[in-house]
Amino acid sequence: MTLRIKFNLVMLAAFLVGLALAAVFFNKFSERTARKAILSEAALMMGQANATIHYTDTQISPLLAKQMAVQFVPQAIPFFAAQQTFDHLAKDFPDYTLRQPTLNPTNPSDRPLAWEADIIQALIAEPTLTSLVTERDTEAGKILSYSRPVKVDSQECLTCHSTPEAAPPSMIDVYGRNNGFGWKLGSIVGAEVVSVPERVALTQARQSLYVIMTSLAIVFAVMLALLNLMLHMFIIRPVRRVSALADEVSLGNMAVPEFDTSGTDEIGSLSRSFNRMRRSLTAALRLLEE
Ligand code: HEC
């Protein structure tokens, strides 16, 4: 095996091991970064929905209180307002959703799907949890859901969610008497669930991984080419020259010129040693001849 092959094999092995380690490391790192970005996106959307709920509760509902007695205006309901504003947003971002699944909902469209029911049960089972992050696989890829419990935290909620008799008649006219009642003060009745597709952020993460890996491979290829060139110029070529001259001398051809000893490196000192040996040999031969 030539020096060049040995050298290249070792370099290639070192590079492949390094590249594999770098791929594992960068993959973990970029996935973690992407997940953080997805989570903060979901938390931001949840914050936005809660801001709408708060705004409607404190500023719109009081204004519509009188109107409510005559005719039911869902616009005064904080959760209705949050859903409406979000649904508007979803026209531009169809993969993002806000849902308010509730075990016994006023609006039948808030009935929980199987995976939402699991979230509600998990939040009920662990009442100290303020939020829950879950993931599920869909045809469109992984979806991350950020959920918060909906707790009946004030007596006011019970006006509309305890018994049909306590609720405004105008509300009963719209929603009927069968759904959304019997809620208890202090209990968790459902969840607010913001869902964000992971596909976009994960695809971006994978793309940056490819860019990093390709850059590493290019840097390595350039370095390997340079090292090969240096190996050829500084080691292989001079050694071949020394070896060819030494061959000639060993075959008795003393007319060949001396080695070039101008170099200050190891090859230079090897050439000087050869030259010295050759001179000694010539002197010894001459002595013998005499
Ligand atoms: C004035 C009556 C009223 C009051 C007070 C009220 N709600 Fe509601 N709530 C409704 C109506 C009506 C809906 C259905 C809105 C819709 O069509 O989306 C609703 C919807 C909800 C929903 C979505 C699930 C569902 O039932 O469809 C949740 C969760 C909710 N309310 C929780 C609360 C909480 C918590 C409070 C107290 C802070 C509260 N509500 C106070 C009338 C009320």
Side-chain angles (χ1 to χ4, degrees):
M1 204 186 279
T2 65
L3 209 54
R4 192 193 301 274
I5 293 178
K6 276 185 199 160
F7 176 84
N8 278 294
L9 278 181
V10 170
M11 288 297 289
L12 203 67
F15 169 70
L16 288 180
V17 171
L19 197 70
L21 287 177
V24 171
F25 172 76
F26 281 124
N27 193 28
K28 277 244 163 65
F29 178 75
S30 57
E31 259 182 20
R32 200 175 308 154
T33 313
R35 227 182 113 78
K36 268 192 193 155
I38 298 165
L39 253 180
S40 66
E41 214 175 33
L44 187 73
M45 282 161 52
M46 178 70 87
Q48 173 68 46
N50 284 338
T52 312
I53 287 176
H54 179 74
Y55 172 75
T56 313
D57 192 32
T58 55
Q59 308 210 25
I60 304 296
S61 301
L63 283 180
L64 290 175
K66 270 202 191 122
Q67 178 75 14
M68 217 38 160
V70 194
Q71 181 205 2
F72 187 77
V73 266
Q75 287 78 4
I77 307 295
F79 282 81
F80 178 86
Q83 192 68 61
Q84 288 287 310
T85 40
F86 199 93
D87 288 352
H88 188 73
L89 183 80
K91 283 181 190 151
D92 293 330
F93 301 93
D95 293 338
Y96 294 69
T97 58
L98 167 74
R99 295 251 311 144
Q100 297 158 356
T102 305
L103 292 178
N104 173 18
T106 319
N107 188 332
S109 71
D110 292 327
R111 212 161 275 148
L113 302 170
W115 63 271
E116 291 172 333
D118 289 346
I119 291 177
I120 300 174
Q121 295 303 348
L123 290 169
I124 291 175
E126 201 79 51
T128 47
L129 278 187
T130 52
S131 65
L132 182 68
V133 176
T134 49
E135 271 179 328
R136 74 202 143 89
D137 286 309
T138 69
E139 278 175 14
K142 270 204 166 139
I143 306 258
L144 179 139
S145 293
Y146 181 80
S147 313
R148 276 159 92 156
V150 173
K151 201 171 181 178
V152 183
D153 52 4
S154 81
Q155 194 66 41
E156 203 190 313
C157 314
L158 296 181
T159 319
C160 302
H161 292 296
S162 62
T163 59
E165 288 69 36
S170 57
M171 174 181 149
I172 302 293
D173 291 343
V174 179
Y175 293 92
R177 311 171 60 86
N178 299 327
N179 309 309
F181 297 110
W183 298 8
K184 301 267 179 304
L185 192 65
S187 64
I188 291 170
V189 291
E192 247 184 305
V193 183
V194 166
S195 296
V196 179
E198 295 189 7
R199 186 173 23 100
V200 182
L202 285 183
T203 310
Q204 274 171 2
R206 201 143 308 136
Q207 274 167 356
S208 45
L209 181 70
Y210 291 151
V211 171
I212 291 173
M213 289 298 122
T214 314
S215 316
L216 276 180
I218 291 174
V219 169
F220 171 76
V222 171
M223 273 181 60
L224 193 67
L226 272 178
L227 283 172
N228 265 300
L229 191 70
M230 283 163 65
L231 185 72
H232 180 77
M233 280 170 55
F234 300 136
I235 300 176
I236 295 178
R237 204 172 51 183
V239 166
R240 271 198 197 137
R241 206 177 297 143
V242 170
S243 153
L245 289 178
D247 271 351
E248 289 289 324
V249 172
S250 74
L251 292 173
N253 180 7
M254 292 301 177
V256 289
E258 289 218 325
F259 302 129
D260 170 22
T261 57
S262 57
T264 54
D265 56 10
E266 288 80 353
I267 300 291
S269 92
L270 177 73
S271 305
R272 281 189 290 280
S273 307
F274 262 112
N275 280 344
R276 218 175 303 122
M277 203 170 81
R278 179 182 165 187
R279 267 178 244 132
S280 311
L281 190 68
T282 318
L285 281 176
R286 201 171 299 139
L287 269 179
L288 269 180
E289 275 167 14
E290 280 169 8

